[in-house]
Structure formats: C-alpha cells, structure tokens
C-alpha cells in the first residue's frame, strides 16, 4: 500500500516499520533510533532502482536509526541528518544538504547540487553513468573513488543488509559483482571531517574545488 506524510517521524530505538509499497514526503523526520524498511509489493513488476518509492525531504533532522528504501528518494534526501544511516537507490536534487552526521548510501544517480552545506557524516554514490562530477557541490566536500579497506567493508556490509531487508535485485547484483562494481562508487567526505573521523578516509589524490 501507500503511506502518507511523515512516516516513522521521531521513531525511537527498538521499533521497526516495514512498508510494502511507497510513502510520501518527510519519511523518517526526526528519526531517533528506529528502523524503517520500504520495499515494493512482492507482486510489483517495477524495477526498484528506476522508480521513486519515497518523497521529498526524507530523514529531515534525523538523529539516529536506519532507513532502507528499495527505490529512489525525492529532493533534499537526508537533509540536516545528524546521525541516521540510510540506503536508497537514487535521489533528486540537493541530496545530503546541510548533513552533519550519519551516512547516506545511494545506489544510483543523484540530482544537482549534491552535498551543499554538508559538514558532517559521509556518503557513497553508485555512479555507473559518471554524472556525479557535474552534479556535486564542491564548496564543502571532496570526493574520491578509491576507498580504504575499512570504508569498502562498511559500504559492502550496508548494501548486503539492504538486500537482506528489502530483497532488492539491484543490491543483490552489486554484492554478487562487487569486485568490478565497487569501482563505480564515489565516497563523499566533508572537508571539515577529513581529520576528525575515527577511520582514515583519504587514499591518495582527491577531487576538490
């Protein structure tokens, strides 16, 4: 079915919401430790990575918890997120805007102005088409394709978790073909966090403004 506005708003630790369908704007607003899983109905013939499943301004002001959505998010995904972890399969414009913590893994293309005002957290984008360099806002972030062992393992484990929870065929494909597909990922790191993250991020050369 379809869920309305603000699904899982301020959801606390220990509570999980499963949706077999789609949802509107502000999913996970103020998420506070809970888990939200959104996937197409089993009868659906849609390809998750090519279809929108959640609306705009998802995870606005989230502080902790997890979101897994087998489909594309709208504009302003993970805006002002300060601690939640998420996996989606694409997003619209202004993704990770003013993000200050947590992580965002996006298994598909993003819209324009990605990472504007992003001062914390970390993001990963699967960029098979090579479009990220013209869509990212480099004022506050840098990006690189080669990752340290820690972050590669982190990324793979979250994609595998995404598949296990949503049965996403796209996530399964990435896991099954990891040795080649991992090179299609960009890691986005806020400049302010380069020397503050617990685990090393910079491998060698990076792209910046």
């Amino acid at each position: 079915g379809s869920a309305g506005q603000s699904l899982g708003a301020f959801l606390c630790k220990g509570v999980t919401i499963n949706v077999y369908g789609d949802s509107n704007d502000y999913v996970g607003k103020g998420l506070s430790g809970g888990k939200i899983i959104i996937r197409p109905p089993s009868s659906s013939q849609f390809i998750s990575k090519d279809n929108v499943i959640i609306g705009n301004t998802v995870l606005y002001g989230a502080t902790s918890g997890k979101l897994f959505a087998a489909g594309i998010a709208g504009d302003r995904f993970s805006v002002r997120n300060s601690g939640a972890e998420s996996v989606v399969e694409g997003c619209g414009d202004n993704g990770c805007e003013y993000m200050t913590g947590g992580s965002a893994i996006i298994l598909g293309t993003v819209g324009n102005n990605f990472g504007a005002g992003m001062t914390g957290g970390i993001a990963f984008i699967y960029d098979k088409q090579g479009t990220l360099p013209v869509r990212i806002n480099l004022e506050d972030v840098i990006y690189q394709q080669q990752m340290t062992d820690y972050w590669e393992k982190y990324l793979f484990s979250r994609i595998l978790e995404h598949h296990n929870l949503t049965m996403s065929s796209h996530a399964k494909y990435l896991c099954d073909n990891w040795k080649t597909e991992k090179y299609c990922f960009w890691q986005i790191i806020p400049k302010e966090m380069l020397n503050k993250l617990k685990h090393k991020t910079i491998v060698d050369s990076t792209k910046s403004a």
Side-chain angles (χ1 to χ4, degrees), residues 111-181:
N112 294 320
N113 203 34
F114 186 90
M118 183 180 176
T119 57
I122 202 154
F124 300 87
I125 297 173
Y126 179 69
D127 186 32
K128 190 83 169 181
Q129 307 303 319
T131 59
L132 180 67
V134 298
R135 295 180 177 177
I136 192 170
N137 186 318
L138 289 171
E139 184 173 343
D140 299 296
V141 302
I142 65 170
Y143 63 114
Q144 62 180 10
Q145 281 188 302
Q146 189 177 0
M147 293 176 235
T148 63
D149 289 342
Y150 172 84
W151 289 111
E152 182 182 329
K153 290 176 182 176
Y154 174 88
L155 176 60
F156 179 83
S157 68
R158 290 300 181 274
I159 298 173
L160 182 60
E161 186 178 10
H162 179 68
H163 165 65
N164 290 337
L165 293 173
T166 68
M167 300 306 296
S168 165
S169 60
H170 180 45
K172 184 178 187 303
Y173 169 80
L174 294 176
C175 290
D176 289 347
N177 297 276
W178 187 246
K179 288 185 178 180
T180 55
E181 295 305 310

Side-chain angles (χ1 to χ4, degrees), residues 11-199:
L11 191 70
C12 62
K13 185 177 180 180
V15 181
T16 298
I17 294 177
N18 279 280
V19 176
Y20 291 82
D22 54 27
S23 188
N24 214 319
D25 301 339
Y26 288 97
V27 170
K29 175 183 177 181
L31 184 67
S32 303
K35 183 184 292 184
I36 302 172
I37 304 164
I38 305 175
R39 54 180 291 187
S42 56
S43 60
S44 173
Q45 299 300 311
F46 292 125
I47 299 173
S48 63
K49 70 181 182 66
D50 297 330
N51 289 274
V52 173
I53 197 167
I54 47 179
N56 300 321
T57 326
V58 169
L59 293 179
Y60 177 84
T63 60
S64 57
K66 293 184 178 183
L67 166 72
F68 299 90
I72 299 171
D75 293 344
R76 303 192 75 201
F77 172 69
S78 199
V79 61
R80 297 191 184 278
N81 171 24
S82 65
E85 297 177 284
S86 60
V87 185
V88 297
E89 300 185 5
C91 75
D93 293 343
N94 304 305
C96 296
E97 185 179 32
Y98 302 117
M99 184 170 164
T100 61
S103 65
I105 296 173
I106 302 165
L107 309 181
T109 58
V110 301
N112 294 320
N113 203 34
F114 186 90
M118 183 180 176
T119 57
I122 202 154
F124 300 87
I125 297 173
Y126 179 69
D127 186 32
K128 190 83 169 181
Q129 307 303 319
T131 59
L132 180 67
V134 298
R135 295 180 177 177
I136 192 170
N137 186 318
L138 289 171
E139 184 173 343
D140 299 296
V141 302
I142 65 170
Y143 63 114
Q144 62 180 10
Q145 281 188 302
Q146 189 177 0
M147 293 176 235
T148 63
D149 289 342
Y150 172 84
W151 289 111
E152 182 182 329
K153 290 176 182 176
Y154 174 88
L155 176 60
F156 179 83
S157 68
R158 290 300 181 274
I159 298 173
L160 182 60
E161 186 178 10
H162 179 68
H163 165 65
N164 290 337
L165 293 173
T166 68
M167 300 306 296
S168 165
S169 60
H170 180 45
K172 184 178 187 303
Y173 169 80
L174 294 176
C175 290
D176 289 347
N177 297 276
W178 187 246
K179 288 185 178 180
T180 55
E181 295 305 310
K182 67 181 181 180
Y183 296 110
C184 295
F185 278 93
W186 293 100
Q187 182 179 23
I188 292 83
I189 311 158
K191 294 175 182 178
E192 288 191 17
M193 300 302 296
L194 288 175
N195 299 315
K196 297 177 182 178
L197 290 169
K198 180 179 179 180
H199 300 281

